């Protein structure tokens, strides 16, 4: 059985985009973010994070830092009774300072690779799935993966998620297939 998903960009959607966030002490949640994730969970959807992390390619931090931040975020969300079912990130950038990350990669948004990998790994039904991002490249990645993309304009994420649920009562229900 397939289950629909909500794919969330990280910086600018779940947390404030203050530039290359990797230290939990410097992460500031977007208003309503934890509650929005819990609402997505309670509605029966997978909740996934898909995030470009070019700070790794730029030598500002390493992949262990990204993974540690995601583990910390998961722990913080659990305090609200919320969960991210899986985190995907792409450390690559075509102009990377760190040689091993200097490449073009379909996993880097606007490419659909991170979304497609999660769809395959978790048996996601794309028909009822969406992506919420804060940049046009997020929406392009969603479109390339065959799902609907929404631009989060800022403000309260819970309010935004609720408006999407209300806007798409037929198509956003957790559907099979």
């Amino acid at each position: 059985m397939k289950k629909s998903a909500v794919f969330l960009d990280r910086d600018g959607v779940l947390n404030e985009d203050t530039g290359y966030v990797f230290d939990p002490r410097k992460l500031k949640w977007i208003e309503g973010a934890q509650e929005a994730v819990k609402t997505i969970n309670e509605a029966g959807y997978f909740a996934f994070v898909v995030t470009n992390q070019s700070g790794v390619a730029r030598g500002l931090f390493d992949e262990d830092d990204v993974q540690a931040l995601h583990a910390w975020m998961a722990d913080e969300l659990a305090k609200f009774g919320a969960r991210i079912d899986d985190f995907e990130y792409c450390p690559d950038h075509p102009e990377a300072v760190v040689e091993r990350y200097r490449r073009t990669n379909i996993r880097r948004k606007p490419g659909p690779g991170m979304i497609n990998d999660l769809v395959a790994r978790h048996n996601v039904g794309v028909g009822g799935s969406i992506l919420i991002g804060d940049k046009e490249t997020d929406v392009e990645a969603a479109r390339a993966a065959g799902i609907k993309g929404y631009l989060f304009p800022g403000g309260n994420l819970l309010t935004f998620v609720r408006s999407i649920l209300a806007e798409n009562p037929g198509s956003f229900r957790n559907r099979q297939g």
Side-chain angles (χ1 to χ4, degrees):
M1 280 185 132
K2 293 187 179 205
K3 187 162 103 170
S4 299
V6 177
F7 298 87
L8 300 159
D9 179 46
R10 195 188 82 187
D11 303 327
V13 176
L14 289 176
N15 59 276
E16 290 185 10
D17 189 353
T18 56
Y20 305 110
V21 176
F22 68 94
D23 183 344
R25 296 169 297 185
K26 295 183 180 178
L27 183 137
K28 184 171 181 196
W29 292 98
I30 292 282
E31 182 182 359
Q34 295 102 326
E35 297 88 347
V37 173
K38 184 175 181 179
T39 296
I40 292 164
N41 299 151
E42 290 173 346
Y45 295 88
F46 286 122
F48 297 128
V49 169
V50 288
T51 179
N52 289 342
Q53 291 299 308
S54 68
V56 174
R58 298 172 196 277
L60 301 174
F61 48 90
D62 61 33
E63 289 192 65
D64 288 342
D65 294 319
V66 175
Q67 293 164 6
L69 180 62
H70 290 168
W72 178 85
M73 291 175 77
D75 290 344
E76 291 297 302
L77 286 165
K79 294 175 184 176
F80 281 83
R83 77 181 178 289
I84 296 296
D85 293 295
D86 209 344
F87 289 86
E88 281 290 327
Y89 67 94
C90 182
D92 300 325
H93 193 279
E95 298 170 10
V97 173
V98 180
E99 178 69 31
R100 69 181 240 190
Y101 298 112
R102 188 179 310 136
R103 61 183 167 225
T104 301
N105 189 332
I106 195 157
R107 289 176 45 79
R108 181 174 170 76
K109 295 178 286 179
M114 288 186 283
I115 298 167
N116 291 339
D117 288 349
L118 287 164
V119 165
R121 191 165 57 246
H122 293 279
N123 201 24
V124 173
V126 295
S129 295
I130 66 160
L131 178 139
I132 299 172
D134 67 323
K135 294 182 178 68
E136 189 56 39
T137 53
D138 298 318
V139 175
E140 290 174 33
R143 192 175 7 228
I147 64 174
K148 191 168 185 176
Y150 289 87
L151 275 177
F152 175 58
N156 187 302
L157 184 60
L158 176 60
T159 302
F160 187 74
V161 165
R162 284 181 175 159
S163 73
I164 292 170
L165 291 170
E167 177 185 317
N168 296 287
S171 64
F172 196 70
R173 268 197 282 270
N174 193 6
R175 304 187 283 185
Q176 304 304 316

